[in-house]
Amino acid sequence: MDTTTLRDEPQSEHDADERDERDDAPAESARRRRTRARLLDAAFEVFAEQGVRAASVETIVERAGFTRGAFYSNFSSKEELFFALMEREKEMRLEQLDTGVAQFLRPLVGEEGAELGDEDVVRTVTRILELQSDDPRWWLVQAEFRLLALRDHTIAADYLRYQDEFFADLTQTVVAALTSARRRFTIAPEEAVRVIAELCANGEARAVLSGDERTFPERLSESVPAILLALTERV
Amino acid sequence: MDTTTLRDEPQSEHDADERDERDDAPAESARRRRTRARLLDAAFEVFAEQGVRAASVETIVERAGFTRGAFYSNFSSKEELFFALMEREKEMRLEQLDTGVAQFLRPLVGEEGAELGDEDVVRTVTRILELQSDDPRWWLVQAEFRLLALRDHTIAADYLRYQDEFFADLTQTVVAALTSARRRFTIAPEEAVRVIAELCANGEARAVLSGDERTFPERLSESVPAILLALTERV
């Protein structure tokens, strides 16, 4: 990185955009969101390429086209950015799930809910999976995060809290969807949801390891609906 | 490490032991097994402390009290040792499982097999889990191995083959045990076994992250029997 160009703002290609928005609080906040989003995108790429431990703040800001100043006006440390990245992924996945439920399950069961046949469950789950983002680099970054948390006690508690919040939110959505299809889990719901989520994560890791080039739903459209049916019963 | 003492054999404290066994082929092979075992023990410790990538062959042989020569007469590379360590763990876990089945399930169902009540299933699974080794460092080293395989295509294929063999063997043992208790899986057996094994692995990783000091069976004696019952039915 050329340290003679250190500034607190994005570099030249984005300056026009910035000037338009000066002295305008909502736009300022929109610009800030874009800056954060670009730093997160860059961090994701660099973490996937080099590993979280090896990735430096310099490399990340360089990739994003920003300066260290821009980084530190948004994140106090690489760890804070690491959690912001997990948070963004969590929200994106939950939104994709909400969209899938609204788009593919709701029309079948209506507002009141209705019983679904096993074939409809399989078809609906597969369609919902098709909406989930399918970037193999995410599983690599997840494995990095987990190892980092296992090795570093100062990160472990936050990592665990993030995981617990994610699974609590995910369980709420899945249980609501099952209820509307007149089904319920036969084991502790959060345990069941964790098991299914891990099945997805491990399936994806296997795909990375084996160079399997099918898409996420192609790989999981047998196993995920099968285990969902096996771990639920009709109400 | 003191490079002036480089030799192909274990250092002084073990020389007496070696001399006793010279010119004796079975003993030679026993000594070789001990050397390999000590190198594997040392590698496990160093991998857990420093990570697989950071761990050097020098650090491992120093920890074991051997020389580089002893290392390379047993393993061609750190990667070969890495797989030997996984293989050893796999065999140990499968043996512990066989022992548990023989000790706790066989007396209940006899040679012919017999139906077991759910409470007996829970009690037997918990006892079998109690025999499984319970070293939290193993989950750290596993996470290291997985990440290494995800990052390195030259390791990925061997890692996947190891995993597939492990789960094939594990599935065979679990299905035989279930059959003797007149139960069978309601989803693909290997899928079910992977899911249950991952539940154990993730439970252990959570325990490391949260500093949970209960033992392996204390933590898993609710969730593992519950999911085993949920994923099986009486024949």
Side-chain angles (χ1 to χ4, degrees):
Chain A
M1 179 179 191
D2 179 3
T3 51
T4 62
T5 66
L6 275 173
R7 298 175 310 151
D8 272 334
E9 301 298 337
Q11 287 164 10
S12 55
E13 50 177 314
H14 305 281
D15 282 353
D17 184 35
E18 276 169 65
R19 272 192 301 272
D20 292 341
E21 291 167 4
R22 287 268 152 81
D23 304 315
D24 179 348
E28 172 74 18
S29 136
R31 180 166 65 79
R32 195 176 164 80
R33 272 202 304 278
R34 278 200 302 278
T35 302
R36 282 179 65 95
R38 281 179 54 202
L39 283 166
L40 290 172
D41 291 341
F44 177 64
E45 282 178 27
V46 176
F47 287 166
E49 284 166 24
Q50 304 182 0
V52 175
R53 239 194 292 190
S56 69
V57 168
E58 279 75 10
T59 311
I60 295 166
V61 296
E62 213 173 318
R63 182 70 60 95
F66 291 122
T67 61
R68 283 177 68 89
F71 181 91
Y72 287 109
S73 77
N74 280 282
F75 301 104
S76 64
S77 63
K78 196 169 74 174
E79 285 67 32
E80 195 184 310
L81 177 139
F82 158 116
F83 283 111
L85 194 55
M86 288 187 81
E87 187 62 29
R88 183 173 76 166
E89 183 79 11
K90 168 190 148 184
E91 282 175 11
M92 185 187 69
R93 296 210 169 259
L94 290 170
E95 273 172 29
Q96 289 167 340
L97 180 59
D98 283 339
T99 305
V101 168
Q103 204 166 328
F104 302 117
L105 179 63
R106 191 66 49 81
L108 293 179
V109 298
E111 287 297 323
E112 304 283 291
E115 203 173 289
L116 275 194
D118 288 1
E119 276 181 29
D120 277 334
V121 172
V122 173
R123 205 171 310 125
T124 307
V125 171
T126 304
R127 284 190 178 148
I128 291 173
L129 285 176
E130 279 165 6
L131 287 186
Q132 288 282 315
S133 49
D134 183 22
D135 184 339
R137 292 175 305 169
W138 180 251
W139 310 102
L140 200 58
V141 172
Q142 280 278 40
E144 289 273 351
F145 284 177
R146 181 174 196 166
L147 189 57
L148 209 68
L150 282 167
R151 288 215 167 274
D152 184 343
H153 286 287
T154 65
I155 291 179
D158 283 336
Y159 177 84
L160 210 56
R161 194 173 57 240
Y162 157 84
Q163 290 277 4
D164 288 347
E165 284 172 10
F166 174 65
F167 283 115
D169 290 350
L170 184 58
T171 301
Q172 207 172 15
T173 304
V174 172
V175 166
L178 284 171
T179 303
S180 77
R182 305 266 196 267
R183 297 191 77 89
R184 66 178 163 216
F185 282 116
T186 53
I187 63 170
E190 195 167 315
E191 191 100 326
V193 168
R194 280 181 191 263
V195 157
I196 297 170
E198 287 299 333
L199 181 73
C200 295
N202 287 313
E204 290 309 283
R206 271 184 76 72
V208 173
L209 288 167
S210 65
D212 181 346
E213 290 183 345
R214 290 175 300 164
T215 65
F216 185 70
E218 280 168 352
R219 282 192 298 273
L220 296 171
S221 63
E222 279 189 37
S223 55
V224 173
I227 198 163
L228 186 70
L229 286 171
L231 293 178
T232 56
E233 62 188 3
R234 294 181 189 211
V235 178
Chain B
M1 176 177 194
D2 179 4
T3 50
T4 62
T5 66
L6 275 174
R7 297 176 309 153
D8 271 336
E9 301 299 337
Q11 287 164 12
S12 55
E13 50 176 314
H14 304 280
D15 282 354
D17 185 33
E18 275 170 65
R19 271 192 302 273
D20 292 341
E21 290 167 5
R22 287 272 150 81
D23 304 315
D24 178 348
E28 172 73 20
S29 134
R31 180 166 65 78
R32 196 177 163 80
R33 273 203 302 279
R34 279 201 300 279
T35 302
R36 281 179 67 95
R38 281 178 55 202
L39 283 167
L40 290 172
D41 291 341
F44 177 64
E45 283 178 26
V46 176
F47 287 166
E49 284 166 25
Q50 306 182 357
V52 175
R53 238 193 292 191
S56 69
V57 168
E58 279 75 11
T59 310
I60 294 166
V61 296
E62 214 174 318
R63 183 68 60 94
F66 291 122
T67 61
R68 283 176 67 90
F71 182 91
Y72 286 109
S73 76
N74 280 282
F75 301 105
S76 64
S77 64
K78 195 169 74 173
E79 285 66 32
E80 196 184 311
L81 177 140
F82 157 116
F83 283 111
L85 194 56
M86 288 187 80
E87 187 62 28
R88 183 172 76 165
E89 183 79 13
K90 169 191 148 183
E91 282 174 11
M92 186 187 69
R93 295 208 170 260
L94 290 170
E95 273 172 30
Q96 289 167 340
L97 180 59
D98 283 339
T99 305
V101 168
Q103 204 166 328
F104 302 118
L105 179 63
R106 190 68 47 81
L108 294 179
V109 298
E111 288 296 322
E112 303 283 291
E115 204 172 287
L116 275 194
D118 288 2
E119 276 181 29
D120 277 334
V121 171
V122 173
R123 207 171 309 127
T124 306
V125 170
T126 304
R127 284 189 179 148
I128 291 173
L129 285 175
E130 279 165 6
L131 287 187
Q132 289 283 314
S133 50
D134 184 22
D135 184 339
R137 292 176 305 170
W138 180 250
W139 310 102
L140 200 58
V141 172
Q142 280 278 43
E144 289 274 350
F145 284 176
R146 182 176 195 162
L147 189 57
L148 208 69
L150 282 167
R151 287 215 168 276
D152 184 344
H153 286 287
T154 64
I155 292 179
D158 284 335
Y159 177 84
L160 210 56
R161 194 174 56 240
Y162 158 84
Q163 291 277 5
D164 288 347
E165 284 172 11
F166 174 65
F167 284 114
D169 290 349
L170 184 58
T171 301
Q172 206 173 14
T173 304
V174 172
V175 166
L178 284 171
T179 303
S180 76
R182 306 264 195 267
R183 297 191 77 89
R184 66 178 163 216
F185 283 116
T186 54
I187 63 170
E190 194 167 315
E191 191 100 326
V193 167
R194 281 180 190 263
V195 157
I196 296 170
E198 286 300 333
L199 181 73
C200 295
N202 287 313
E204 290 308 283
R206 271 185 78 72
V208 173
L209 289 167
S210 65
D212 182 345
E213 290 183 346
R214 289 175 300 165
T215 64
F216 186 69
E218 280 168 353
R219 283 192 299 271
L220 296 171
S221 63
E222 278 190 39
S223 55
V224 174
I227 198 162
L228 185 70
L229 286 171
L231 294 179
T232 56
E233 62 188 3
R234 293 180 191 213
V235 178

